[in-house]
Amino acid sequence: RLTNFTGTPSFRLRFIFTSDGVVNGNGFSIDDFEIITLPANDAVFLSLNNNNFHPVIGQNSGNIQIKFYNNGTNPITSFTASYSVNGVQQQSQLFSIFVNPGDTTTVTLPGFTTPAGVLSICGSVDIPLDADTSNNQGCFQTNSVQAVATPYADDFESGSPGWTTSTINPTTMWELGAPAYGHTSSAH
């Protein structure tokens, strides 16, 4: 936000690049730079439950949190937050909360009864006279999970009864069956 320069006929911007002198990389790039006038009213959807959510089949998902940003120059005093699961609206609620320009807020809605399978969960925030409604919604996909009774045991030898894997390291590989990699060559 360049609010200190409102009404100024011209000003200069400077980009400064510094390096540590140890690591050689590609440097710094700037592309498609623009300065725009912010609209008076603009809510920007940011996330729903931080886009990290694996509800249990047949149970209440727990509260749903919708986070958004006031990108307008006016305060937001009233807005509607809602969400849907697989295209079916679950909750919609009008909130009267003061959100200053440039501020972020999170609101909480009641959860839903979780169906089995892949869930497409979409959240939205709507304000009166919103100048850009293209940024009011966001969606993500997740899988519902089966509740597991205790005690529980799985030898991972014969199949994947609902287990999923994820990793930030693309070279990590999870496999079913007896281990056969490096020094780990048999089950313990």
Side-chain angles (χ1 to χ4, degrees), residues 70-110:
N70 181 357
N71 191 47
T73 58
N74 289 337
I76 295 173
T77 58
S78 175
F79 58 92
T80 301
S82 59
Y83 72 92
S84 65
V85 177
N86 295 338
V88 178
Q89 185 169 338
Q90 301 295 315
Q91 295 287 334
S92 181
Q93 186 173 335
L94 178 65
F95 290 88
S96 295
I97 297 174
F98 196 87
V99 184
N100 281 315
D103 281 354
T104 299
T105 196
T106 302
V107 295
T108 302
L109 295 169

Side-chain angles (χ1 to χ4, degrees), residues 32-138:
D32 297 334
F33 181 82
E34 70 178 332
I35 298 174
I36 61 169
T37 301
L38 292 176
N41 303 300
D42 186 24
V44 177
F45 175 90
L46 296 175
S47 67
L48 184 142
N49 283 39
N50 294 321
N51 298 339
N52 184 11
F53 188 54
H54 301 283
V56 177
I57 298 168
Q59 296 183 15
N60 186 287
S61 65
N63 289 336
I64 301 298
Q65 294 185 322
I66 294 177
K67 183 177 182 180
F68 75 96
Y69 172 75
N70 181 357
N71 191 47
T73 58
N74 289 337
I76 295 173
T77 58
S78 175
F79 58 92
T80 301
S82 59
Y83 72 92
S84 65
V85 177
N86 295 338
V88 178
Q89 185 169 338
Q90 301 295 315
Q91 295 287 334
S92 181
Q93 186 173 335
L94 178 65
F95 290 88
S96 295
I97 297 174
F98 196 87
V99 184
N100 281 315
D103 281 354
T104 299
T105 196
T106 302
V107 295
T108 302
L109 295 169
F112 59 95
T113 301
T114 307
V118 176
L119 307 177
S120 177
I121 304 175
C122 298
S124 67
V125 175
D126 297 301
I127 63 171
L129 305 173
D130 196 329
D132 181 5
T133 58
S134 70
N135 59 14
N136 290 21
Q137 178 176 321

